Amino acid sequence: MSKILSFSKDFLGFILLVFFLLLFFNIESFKNEQAGFTVPDSWLNVNTIFLGIVIEAIPFILLGVFVSALIQIYVKEEIIHRYLPKNAYAALLPAAVLGAIFPICECAIVPIVRRLIKKGMPLHVGVVFLVAAPILNPVVAASTFFAFRTDLTVLYARMGLAFILSIIIGAILYAIFKNRDQLKWTKDELVGQQIVIDSKVTPRKMNRLKQTLYHAADEFFLMGKFLILGAFIAALFQTFLDRSVLLAIGSNEWSSTAVMMAFAFLLSLCSEADAFVAASFGSTFTTGSLIAFLVYGPMIDLKNTIMLFAFFKAKFVLYFIGVVTIVVFLAVVTLQLINII
């Protein structure tokens, strides 16, 4: 039964991708009424947005699955345990610093964190890296600087909030879950893990290279189908969601912050490009709500939610979304009420 469901998901993702690529390469034909068959403009827009998200995300997914495969093959569990502080709360700060060093956007972060947790990284430390890395890296800082170079408050607030809130989010989730395993493991992974533990076999260098490529390929196809599904749903929301209703209720600190967080979740933009979209809302929304958009979106969005549900237990994903949402919302509203942003 599970094989049938897995095959159905793969087949649906493949059909969706072929369908939208067909639309993309024949878009002029489908606009021409004389061709006898036309596609409504709204669905052509869905096609453009869908392919835009997929094409934008695939290079980062490739980066993520290769890093994930390298971690699987070359990083031993003992190394992770040796360099992480033994105290659970003391380990939160190095995780946030690690997120500031590695240029990984939110499109690639899920497979990397999943692999690190499988290698023995504590869940709460992985959570900090999951929410911090897509914002704190130098590429995102540079794009935010260029988008808001006339008002650097947005840059400083985005980076500062991401650093502090990632530690708070990790601490809260540690208090809830401690170090209980929240990953979904397949039978093959559990069997493979047992074989490695029992045999103590160290693969040769050539075998390691092949294993890295095999792991990267497997993970790319595994992640790819959830990326396609998430991009399709995000494209539907971007096309058919009546933004005028949301704009009408986004007139004060509370409602505008909530609206921009909802936008960030639904639009599923890459963290390395979202600052330019946020800047386009500058004349409509408050500075605080723009910062909420830039902090919340990279931490959790629609396409990443689908990936998280695929690889983590549902209870953990729901708590994670709830904690991130409440912490970001309260932090941004508080800073607005005391006139810091």
Side-chain angles (χ1 to χ4, degrees), residues 60-122:
F60 297 104
I61 287 284
L62 279 171
L63 173 68
V65 298
F66 269 107
V67 173
S68 171
L70 289 171
I71 291 170
Q72 169 65 18
I73 302 302
Y74 290 97
V75 178
K76 295 183 180 299
E77 288 84 345
E78 302 85 58
I79 295 176
I80 294 175
H81 290 296
R82 186 188 309 160
Y83 289 104
L84 279 177
K86 303 300 179 193
N87 183 284
Y89 292 103
L92 296 171
L93 183 60
V97 174
L98 193 67
I101 296 172
F102 286 94
I104 300 167
C105 80
E106 88 290 345
C107 302
I109 195 68
V110 173
I112 293 173
V113 170
R114 172 173 167 260
R115 185 64 63 190
L116 285 169
I117 293 175
K118 282 186 174 180
K119 281 289 185 179
M121 175 178 276

Side-chain angles (χ1 to χ4, degrees), residues 97-165:
V97 174
L98 193 67
I101 296 172
F102 286 94
I104 300 167
C105 80
E106 88 290 345
C107 302
I109 195 68
V110 173
I112 293 173
V113 170
R114 172 173 167 260
R115 185 64 63 190
L116 285 169
I117 293 175
K118 282 186 174 180
K119 281 289 185 179
M121 175 178 276
L123 177 70
H124 63 289
V125 176
V127 166
V128 175
F129 191 59
L130 182 69
V131 295
I135 304 175
L136 294 176
N137 70 70
V139 180
V140 174
S143 70
T144 309
F145 171 79
F146 283 109
F148 291 93
R149 53 186 176 273
T150 58
D151 182 11
L152 292 182
T153 304
V154 175
L155 171 65
Y156 301 143
R158 185 184 199 187
M159 296 297 141
L161 274 177
F163 189 84
I164 295 169
L165 297 187

Side-chain angles (χ1 to χ4, degrees), residues 26 63 270 328:
N26 297 279
L63 173 68
C270 179
V328 173

Side-chain angles (χ1 to χ4, degrees), residues 36-336:
F37 175 75
T38 58
V39 176
D41 288 343
S42 57
W43 282 100
L44 291 175
N45 193 46
V46 169
N47 174 56
T48 303
I49 296 170
F50 168 78
L51 287 176
I53 295 174
V54 171
I55 291 170
E56 184 182 53
I58 278 181
F60 297 104
I61 287 284
L62 279 171
L63 173 68
V65 298
F66 269 107
V67 173
S68 171
L70 289 171
I71 291 170
Q72 169 65 18
I73 302 302
Y74 290 97
V75 178
K76 295 183 180 299
E77 288 84 345
E78 302 85 58
I79 295 176
I80 294 175
H81 290 296
R82 186 188 309 160
Y83 289 104
L84 279 177
K86 303 300 179 193
N87 183 284
Y89 292 103
L92 296 171
L93 183 60
V97 174
L98 193 67
I101 296 172
F102 286 94
I104 300 167
C105 80
E106 88 290 345
C107 302
I109 195 68
V110 173
I112 293 173
V113 170
R114 172 173 167 260
R115 185 64 63 190
L116 285 169
I117 293 175
K118 282 186 174 180
K119 281 289 185 179
M121 175 178 276
L123 177 70
H124 63 289
V125 176
V127 166
V128 175
F129 191 59
L130 182 69
V131 295
I135 304 175
L136 294 176
N137 70 70
V139 180
V140 174
S143 70
T144 309
F145 171 79
F146 283 109
F148 291 93
R149 53 186 176 273
T150 58
D151 182 11
L152 292 182
T153 304
V154 175
L155 171 65
Y156 301 143
R158 185 184 199 187
M159 296 297 141
L161 274 177
F163 189 84
I164 295 169
L165 297 187
S166 65
I167 294 173
I168 294 173
I169 290 166
I172 293 173
L173 286 170
Y174 174 74
I176 296 172
F177 291 101
K178 300 300 178 185
N179 283 327
R180 291 194 296 273
D181 185 15
Q182 297 299 315
L183 288 175
K184 290 180 179 175
W185 294 78
T186 65
K187 288 181 180 177
D188 291 340
E189 287 170 334
L190 289 172
V191 171
Q193 187 190 43
Q194 192 63 42
I195 288 172
V196 171
I197 292 171
D198 289 346
S199 63
K200 305 292 183 185
V201 173
T202 303
R204 291 179 298 174
K205 285 188 177 179
M206 278 303 292
N207 287 339
R208 285 186 173 186
L209 178 61
K210 286 182 182 176
Q211 286 180 357
T212 301
L213 294 175
Y214 288 148
H215 272 289
D218 288 344
E219 196 135 306
F220 176 75
F221 288 107
L222 192 63
M223 288 284 167
K225 59 189 176 186
F226 296 107
L227 168 70
I228 290 171
L229 183 59
F232 177 60
I233 296 172
L236 290 177
F237 272 112
Q238 288 196 45
T239 302
F240 297 108
L241 183 69
D242 188 353
R243 298 188 187 191
S244 62
V245 176
L246 293 177
L247 290 171
I249 60 176
S251 56
N252 65 48
E253 290 87 354
W254 295 83
S255 60
S256 63
T257 300
V259 166
M260 287 305 284
M261 288 172 64
F263 263 143
F265 182 83
L266 296 175
L267 296 183
S268 300
L269 299 170
C270 179
S271 61
E272 293 169 355
D274 60 358
F276 298 98
V277 176
S280 69
F281 288 113
S283 60
T284 309
F285 287 91
T286 63
T287 300
S289 61
L290 298 182
I291 293 167
F293 179 89
L294 294 171
V295 172
Y296 185 69
M299 289 185 175
I300 183 73
D301 64 21
L302 192 54
K303 67 177 186 302
N304 270 3
T305 298
I306 291 173
M307 288 188 192
L308 289 170
F309 271 116
F311 302 117
F312 289 83
K313 294 177 181 176
K315 181 181 178 183
F316 166 76
V317 179
L318 292 174
Y319 271 86
F320 173 73
I321 294 173
V323 169
V324 171
T325 303
I326 293 170
V327 168
V328 173
F329 180 77
L330 291 179
V332 172
V333 168
T334 302
L335 291 178
Q336 288 185 95

